[in-house]
Amino acid sequence: MLQVLFVLSEMAPYSKTGGLGDVGGALPLALQQLGDDIRVLVPWYGRPDLDEMHWICSVNVPYTQESAEIWIATNRPDVYFLRYSAYYEREGSPYQNAQGQDWPDNPRRFALLNRVAVELAQGRVSSLNWRPDLVHVHDWQTGLIPYLLDLETRVGSPRPATLFTIHNLAYQGRFPPTIMADLHLPREDFHWQGTELYGTFSFMKAALVYSDQLSTVSPGYAREIQTDAFGMGLQGLLQQRAGQLSGILNGVDTAHWNPRTDPYLPAHYHARNLVGKNQCKIHLQQSLGLESQEEVFLLGMISRLIEQKGIDMVLDVLPDLLQRGMQVAILGSGEKLYEARLQELAAAHPGRLAVRIGFDEELAHRIEAGADAFLMPSRFEPCGLNQMYSLHYGTLPIVHHTGGLADTVVDADDLARDHERNGFVFSVAHSDALLQAVLRAAAVFQQPAAWRQLQQQAMAGNYSWEHSALAYQQLYHRILARP
Ligand code: ADP
Ligand code: GLC
């Protein structure tokens, strides 16, 4: 049985700002089902309340006066919640204040998580009496861990193997070099083959250089990030490490995303009987103040409202789509400019365009079920979960051909892959191309039999976490088999 310490900055249902939280909520459980001993370390942000949490131990954080606490919930003894209220229990998101600005002390906040992870990894938290074979860390917020463990080897301490998973190369955890003194990190590695990235200290770069193995969340993105167009300045390093870089697609957590059982839905359905899906559509229209019309083409979108997600392209085409009689339901939050423009458009098109700004898990499920098609025109998308939820819910995704979107959605016109066709794909990230894809989708929607066939093919796809967990387990074994 493998012993793995899994460290990340968010974990559904305890904390979630995006897909990383979904992965944290699902992948450790899927790996446990394969028989491995997976323990998760994640900061505790103070909500939602867990009825029964117990203090386990305090950990003195090296080089600091700080003492952090590890707590567990009675029903989740495998999750170590890291409590340090001055850092983590704040109004706002794990990364930003309520105004959408990054917390200025983010390097310290996440360095604390990284330092505690290293204490656990090295078996120095005696009351836990546990030491992992491998430490699996995610995104820049955990990027110091492979580096700090490398420093341990340099002073002769054996360490577990390390795997760093890139969920999004755009967030690199870059800070002024003065941060090294602040975080008690040696300056000797601050060079182009070490922790330095264009004059800054980068948590992500540290992970990419010092981790034994690298992975990302789709095979397509694993290839893309080695190119100038998607490498975000790290392509050279990623090319150099290509032999240790793999892509493993995320999955759908069917305990939470399943149209047969989803507790948030007004009606349930499955591939052979989609009557319930229609009821979800009517209910969604009513609850969002859209005109109740079964035959109208209803597009959904749930997204962080940032350039990566192509929300600007959606804004460009929205007036045209609405004018052609389509309805659109958008749920999201992010850049204030996009939020305001969406709200203005919604005010100008009552009954046709519904915009909800904020984070709303229940509405996200109801849009996935009630919409006919789902918009995901991301400029780049490491994996993307919403297109997979959409496929599973028979809501055909309209996507840009990139990263995980290209790996999961097969265009309705791709006759060479007849039985895999499950959505609409456009190849240039431009609003004209998006518009053409939506018009193609709207035309197929007018042919119920053809639409239904695509829905059934979408719903027949297998995007299970079991499959991904097996791939990670094999990767863990390959890493540990190396000398
Ligand atoms: P990313 O992690 O880049 O934001 P993903 O598609 O991987 O993109 O995952 C996004 C996750 O966050 C999905 O589970 C999606 O439903 C959820 N989500 C995003 N925005 C919202 C929102 N405003 N309300 C509820 N859920 C949201
Ligand atoms: C990131 C990516 C998204 C991916 C998620 C989970 O947020 O932007 O594409 O699905 O991580 O891996």
Side-chain angles (χ1 to χ4, degrees), residues 18-23 139 165-168 171 217 250 304 308-309 376 380-388:
L20 181 64
D22 287 338
V23 175
D139 270 358
T165 297
I166 302 162
H167 294 264
N168 194 334
Y171 302 99
V217 286
N250 291 327
R304 293 187 290 124
Q308 176 198 339
K309 301 293 182 179
M376 208 154 164
F380 67 95
E381 196 60 77
C383 178
L385 289 166
N386 278 116
Q387 86 281 12
M388 292 200 274

Side-chain angles (χ1 to χ4, degrees), residues 271-342:
R272 274 168 292 105
N273 185 348
L274 293 165
V275 175
K277 184 161 172 55
N278 252 328
Q279 292 172 303
C280 291
K281 178 173 180 177
I282 296 292
H283 182 272
L284 181 67
Q285 287 173 323
Q286 283 167 355
S287 66
L288 292 179
L290 296 169
E291 290 156 16
S292 295
Q293 291 168 344
E294 234 178 272
E295 63 292 350
V296 75
F297 189 42
L298 171 54
L299 296 157
M301 179 171 190
I302 303 155
S303 185
R304 293 187 290 124
L305 302 174
I306 56 168
E307 204 201 355
Q308 176 198 339
K309 301 293 182 179
I311 185 65
D312 51 321
M313 293 185 248
V314 172
L315 279 160
D316 285 348
V317 303
L318 264 178
D320 200 342
L321 303 183
L322 299 168
Q323 204 243 324
R324 289 170 193 263
M326 300 179 202
Q327 290 183 350
V328 185
I330 300 180
L331 166 64
S333 64
E335 283 177 30
K336 302 295 168 218
L337 178 76
Y338 296 132
E339 294 183 353
R341 284 181 62 197
L342 282 170

Side-chain angles (χ1 to χ4, degrees), residues 34-221:
L34 297 178
D36 289 333
D37 178 6
I38 312 289
R39 306 201 190 177
V40 186
L41 177 69
V42 62
W44 171 251
Y45 301 103
R47 68 213 111 84
D49 286 335
L50 277 184
D51 345 320
E52 284 192 65
M53 272 181 90
H54 304 284
W55 173 88
I56 294 291
C57 59
S58 295
V59 182
N60 291 323
V61 185
Y63 302 106
T64 72
Q65 306 303 315
E66 297 159 334
S67 168
E69 296 176 356
I70 290 179
W71 288 60
I72 59 169
T74 319
N75 60 344
R76 282 307 293 271
D78 55 314
V79 184
Y80 298 139
F81 291 109
L82 181 63
R83 294 189 73 163
Y84 191 83
S85 59
Y87 279 178
Y88 304 129
E89 292 175 42
R90 298 175 175 181
E91 278 308 312
S93 92
Y95 317 115
Q96 297 183 327
N97 64 20
Q99 287 71 48
Q101 293 142 340
D102 287 353
W103 295 112
D105 56 352
N106 271 346
R108 280 196 185 192
R109 296 172 66 235
F110 291 107
L112 180 89
L113 170 68
N114 288 234
R115 290 274 184 198
V116 171
V118 168
E119 294 308 289
L120 259 77
Q122 296 300 77
R124 292 196 286 253
V125 183
S126 54
S127 45
L128 295 180
N129 190 23
W130 185 77
R131 200 175 172 171
D133 305 307
L134 186 141
V135 185
H136 185 176
V137 306
H138 304 262
D139 270 358
W140 79 261
Q141 293 86 357
T142 58
L144 291 185
I145 296 168
Y147 174 45
L148 293 172
L149 286 171
D150 188 77
L151 294 177
E152 297 268 331
T153 3
R154 296 187 212 169
V155 296
S157 308
R159 63 158 176 93
T162 49
L163 166 62
F164 178 68
T165 297
I166 302 162
H167 294 264
N168 194 334
L169 200 63
Y171 302 99
Q172 302 179 340
R174 292 174 65 180
F175 303 101
T178 46
I179 206 71
M180 283 177 286
D182 200 31
L183 301 181
H184 307 275
L185 297 169
R187 267 198 89 91
E188 69 197 37
D189 299 312
F190 188 67
H191 51 75
W192 71 279
Q193 288 169 308
T195 58
E196 188 246 357
L197 182 59
Y198 302 108
T200 61
F201 178 89
S202 162
F203 277 48
M204 166 132 340
K205 172 98 185 277
L208 296 179
V209 170
Y210 294 102
S211 198
D212 295 326
Q213 178 80 24
L214 307 174
S215 77
T216 186
V217 286
S218 69
Y221 194 59

Side-chain angles (χ1 to χ4, degrees), residues 281-471:
K281 178 173 180 177
I282 296 292
H283 182 272
L284 181 67
Q285 287 173 323
Q286 283 167 355
S287 66
L288 292 179
L290 296 169
E291 290 156 16
S292 295
Q293 291 168 344
E294 234 178 272
E295 63 292 350
V296 75
F297 189 42
L298 171 54
L299 296 157
M301 179 171 190
I302 303 155
S303 185
R304 293 187 290 124
L305 302 174
I306 56 168
E307 204 201 355
Q308 176 198 339
K309 301 293 182 179
I311 185 65
D312 51 321
M313 293 185 248
V314 172
L315 279 160
D316 285 348
V317 303
L318 264 178
D320 200 342
L321 303 183
L322 299 168
Q323 204 243 324
R324 289 170 193 263
M326 300 179 202
Q327 290 183 350
V328 185
I330 300 180
L331 166 64
S333 64
E335 283 177 30
K336 302 295 168 218
L337 178 76
Y338 296 132
E339 294 183 353
R341 284 181 62 197
L342 282 170
Q343 279 171 320
E344 273 162 35
L345 266 179
H349 296 88
R352 297 260 122 203
L353 170 62
V355 170
R356 295 290 180 273
I357 301 299
F359 199 91
D360 185 337
E361 186 75 30
E362 174 168 351
L363 181 56
H365 286 246
R366 290 197 286 107
I367 291 177
E368 283 293 3
D372 296 304
F374 192 87
L375 291 173
M376 208 154 164
S378 312
R379 290 198 162 69
F380 67 95
E381 196 60 77
C383 178
L385 289 166
N386 278 116
Q387 86 281 12
M388 292 200 274
Y389 300 153
S390 300
L391 292 168
H392 205 54
Y393 278 61
T395 304
L396 301 185
I398 301 173
V399 305
H400 173 218
H401 187 268
T402 187
L405 300 176
D407 286 342
T408 50
V409 183
V410 179
D411 189 84
D413 287 340
D414 189 348
L415 296 177
R417 296 174 69 186
D418 192 15
H419 298 293
E420 294 167 80
R421 295 176 305 130
N422 59 12
F424 301 86
V425 184
F426 58 97
S427 45
V428 188
H430 190 280
S431 41
D432 293 342
L434 167 62
L435 178 63
Q436 291 314 313
V438 177
L439 295 181
R440 279 198 296 127
V444 181
F445 185 70
Q446 297 310 318
Q447 309 160 42
W451 188 264
R452 201 183 164 86
Q453 191 195 349
L454 292 176
Q455 280 182 306
Q456 280 168 343
Q457 293 189 175
M459 295 177 84
N462 179 1
Y463 301 104
S464 71
W465 269 113
E466 288 97 288
H467 189 75
S468 318
L470 208 59

Side-chain angles (χ1 to χ4, degrees), residues 252-270:
V252 172
D253 181 356
T254 49
H256 289 105
W257 291 95
N258 187 346
R260 288 171 181 266
T261 54
D262 191 329
Y264 294 128
L265 303 187
H268 294 125
Y269 59 93
H270 51 84

